[in-house]
Amino acid sequence: MLVVLGMLAVFYAIVIGILYATQQRTSPSFDEYSVGNRSYGPWYVAMSYVNSWWPGSTFIAFFGLAAGAGVFGLYGLAYSTLGVATMYFMATRAWRWGARYDLRSQGDLLGLRFNSRPVKLVASVIGIVSLFPWVVLGMQAFGEIFRYASGDRWPVTVCLVVGLVVIVVRQYWTVRMGMRGLIMTDMFQGLVAYVFSAALCLVLLTGVAGGPISFAALSRVSETVLRVPGDGGHYGPFYLFSLIFTGVIGSLCWPTSFQRIYTASGVRSVKAGTVRTVLLSGGFYTLLMLLGIAATTMPAVAASPQAGWFTIMQSYGGTWLLGLGITIVFAASMGHVDGSVQVCGLQIANDLVNSERRQLSDSQLMKVAKGSMAGYMVLGGVVAYLTFNMTRLQLLAQVSYQGIVQLAVPLFLGIFWRGGNARGAVSGMVSGFAVAMVLTFIYPDDIAGLGSLTGGIVGIAVNLVVFLAVSAATGTSAEEKARVEAMFEVARNPVRVATHPVPIVEPVGTAVPGGQLNG
């Protein structure tokens, strides 16, 4: 136990050390606080995106899916890889509009595109509400981490309280430094959580030193492990399609993912970061799932699939390897919770509180953002404590995912199409979100009568129909058409980036000179 806790303490100390060493000594502007002054290169963008996408529960829930249900777990690879590709195609307009109009959030972009504060408010509220269950689950994951780290000697309450204290201390720096603190630590946390874990999976699968599993074990898995829902069983033919489709279009609907575009130093950095993200994410997740599938041959893993990652670590290398495995999950959990809390605090300050009638100064915006982060985190901790043994909490996570994809209709159509209007966007999002939440509550998994479609897919269909119908019925003025046309014209040309008063630490070749046309 002391060895594992010691490894976690060393990792945690390095993270705090990085934050302390890279903190800005002068007071930052809100643009620096929220998007890092749009100054980061492709590797920072890629690692930050991966940290915001794969939570620590990937090593528990998704690994358990592969270890328990086999190749079904690979559906996450399909939607994550295809979804990240969307960022590549959105990069030019999203980043140039962000730099030109000083956009700081996803709600900012939608509000600008449709020239409507209600659009901005609705989009931001959907994002904030949808992220909350994942913050709760992330905090609960810390409780699980310390349960394994203590060798199951600590009571559940103690494990959860220790986990909450750890993330609260870490969040002090997120509140203080904003996006800069996330970017700087995401690189280190990402190396541990995704690069080291991928290498570890590869070593385990090679069967070095006679480990319990290997690539050869993949040839011995049972036939049931090679089936996916819809290939027999009670699921209909559209279930897997629904999961992948929802994941693909929803990948950039999460505010944490979308905001990474704005931190980049230019369009090239976003696109290069996208390529790196695909390689990092695809390589890591593929190896993790193959390890899980191969582990179906281990009786101990088959008995408890969600604990499979920890079971393999201990079976293969004892205490030290178990400690490394727990540290990897710890790193992934920390990065995901950090990103979620930061972006929600930003959107509360920038999208909900700040307005044209009540314009806040940079100092006021940062105070509201910091207070919002603290409040959001405390609320998440309280709910995590109260619902630690609540099995139905998974339903909230499902509702949140089916809900967040309702941003896809105005977001994607708004970026790639000049049509539509604010009334259509608001009506579509509200109706789609409501339908998705109600259906997902009634049918948490799938809707059997619709071939196992999910509530989110039905919601998106309603969203799209309402968006197009209301937009067509209410029309768009000539002035609005001209404004939108001017926006699309802005996206055709490189945009000037303002000078950052304090140089940001960057790898060679990624720094952005003040005033340079970049993207």
Side-chain angles (χ1 to χ4, degrees):
M1 183 177 78
L2 292 178
V3 171
V4 177
L5 292 175
M7 294 175 73
L8 290 176
V10 169
F11 170 83
Y12 194 69
I14 293 173
V15 170
I16 299 300
I18 292 172
L19 290 167
Y20 183 79
T22 59
Q23 65 179 317
Q24 189 166 315
R25 305 299 176 181
T26 58
S27 298
S29 66
F30 190 65
D31 198 55
E32 294 171 278
Y33 188 81
S34 58
V35 293
N37 210 40
R38 311 178 204 277
S39 313
Y40 293 94
W43 277 113
Y44 281 118
V45 172
M47 200 63 81
S48 182
Y49 187 95
V50 173
N51 270 267
S52 72
W53 185 247
W54 296 116
S57 59
T58 303
F59 296 88
I60 300 172
F62 277 87
F63 188 90
L65 191 61
V71 295
F72 179 39
L74 287 168
Y75 91 89
L77 175 66
Y79 80 71
S80 63
T81 303
L82 292 173
V84 171
T86 310
M87 183 165 70
Y88 187 93
F89 296 107
M90 293 176 65
T92 300
R93 287 176 184 165
W95 189 89
R96 287 178 178 173
W97 286 344
R100 171 65 178 81
Y101 299 107
D102 192 27
L103 306 181
R104 296 158 176 166
S105 69
Q106 188 183 68
D108 260 352
L109 184 142
L110 286 168
L112 172 72
R113 168 60 181 83
F114 294 101
N115 194 27
S116 168
R117 177 162 174 78
V119 170
K120 178 178 180 177
L121 289 173
V122 171
S124 192
V125 168
I126 289 175
I128 293 168
V129 170
S130 298
L131 273 173
F132 184 72
W134 294 103
V135 172
V136 173
L137 290 173
M139 291 185 172
Q140 289 185 337
F142 279 101
E144 289 292 328
I145 288 169
F146 282 99
R147 184 170 72 85
Y148 286 113
S150 67
D152 227 359
R153 293 184 180 89
W154 292 354
V156 171
T157 302
V158 173
C159 293
L160 183 57
V161 170
V162 172
L164 292 178
V165 170
V166 166
I167 195 61
V168 163
V169 173
R170 170 63 183 85
Q171 286 299 317
Y172 163 79
W173 293 91
T174 300
V175 171
R176 180 175 179 177
M177 297 176 66
M179 181 54 71
R180 179 184 177 87
L182 291 180
I183 295 288
M184 291 303 179
T185 54
D186 276 349
M187 182 62 71
F188 173 65
Q189 290 169 177
L191 284 173
V192 174
Y194 312 107
V195 178
F196 285 6
S197 66
L200 180 57
C201 289
L202 184 60
V203 170
L204 290 171
L205 286 167
T206 59
V208 174
I213 50 179
S214 66
F215 281 116
L218 294 171
S219 65
R220 300 192 299 271
V221 298
S222 67
E223 183 181 349
T224 57
V225 172
L226 303 177
R227 292 180 178 176
V228 296
D231 182 16
H234 72 276
Y235 285 109
F238 299 126
Y239 185 66
L240 190 59
F241 160 78
S242 296
L243 294 179
I244 294 176
F245 182 77
T246 304
V248 169
I249 66 172
S251 61
L252 274 182
C253 291
W254 290 109
T256 47
S257 300
F258 192 87
Q259 194 187 18
R260 271 50 187 173
I261 293 177
Y262 292 153
T263 66
S265 59
V267 173
R268 290 182 180 179
S269 291
V270 179
K271 291 187 173 183
T274 299
V275 175
R276 288 164 171 77
T277 300
V278 170
L279 294 174
L280 287 169
S281 182
F284 150 73
Y285 191 78
T286 299
L287 289 168
L288 184 67
M289 291 300 99
L290 289 177
L291 184 70
I293 295 169
T296 58
T297 59
M298 293 179 62
V301 173
S304 182
Q306 294 204 40
W309 172 258
F310 306 104
T311 300
I312 293 170
M313 296 301 109
Q314 190 161 32
S315 299
Y316 190 92
T319 301
W320 286 97
L321 194 59
L322 175 62
L324 178 58
I326 291 174
T327 303
I328 285 171
V329 180
F330 185 71
S333 298
M334 187 180 295
H336 191 266
V337 172
D338 288 345
S340 298
V341 171
Q342 191 273 343
V343 78
C344 287
L346 162 67
Q347 291 196 171
I348 291 171
N350 186 72
D351 300 348
L352 306 187
V353 179
N354 194 37
S355 67
E356 291 185 1
R357 294 183 179 180
R358 185 181 57 249
Q359 291 187 349
L360 304 181
S361 65
D362 276 8
S363 175
Q364 291 172 321
L365 281 168
M366 282 188 281
K367 287 179 181 178
V368 174
K370 291 176 180 179
S372 300
M373 288 181 208
Y376 197 80
M377 180 179 56
V378 169
L379 182 60
V382 171
V383 175
Y385 179 81
L386 295 175
T387 61
F388 191 76
N389 294 313
M390 179 181 172
T391 56
R392 294 287 288 176
L393 192 62
Q394 181 185 5
L395 174 60
L396 295 179
Q398 289 173 323
V399 169
S400 74
Y401 206 93
Q402 303 300 337
I404 195 66
V405 297
Q406 304 310 318
L407 297 180
V409 172
L411 182 62
F412 296 157
L413 290 182
I415 288 177
F416 295 111
W417 182 48
R418 291 170 172 79
N421 62 27
R423 294 184 182 88
V426 170
S427 301
M429 284 189 291
V430 171
S431 59
F433 187 74
V435 168
M437 289 187 69
V438 170
L439 288 178
T440 305
F441 183 80
I442 298 173
Y443 306 102
D445 199 4
D446 67 311
I447 305 173
L450 297 178
S452 287
L453 285 175
T454 59
I457 296 293
V458 179
I460 290 172
V462 172
N463 188 341
L464 178 61
V465 170
V466 171
F467 174 81
L468 295 175
V470 172
S471 295
T474 56
T476 305
S477 66
E479 288 183 353
E480 178 62 12
K481 289 180 180 178
R483 188 191 67 83
V484 172
E485 187 62 39
M487 279 188 65
F488 277 77
E489 187 61 32
V490 165
R492 295 178 184 274
N493 304 301
V495 176
R496 190 175 299 276
V497 181
T499 303
H500 193 294
V502 178
I504 286 181
V505 179
E506 284 288 329
V508 176
T510 61
V512 183
Q516 177 180 331
L517 291 176
N518 197 24

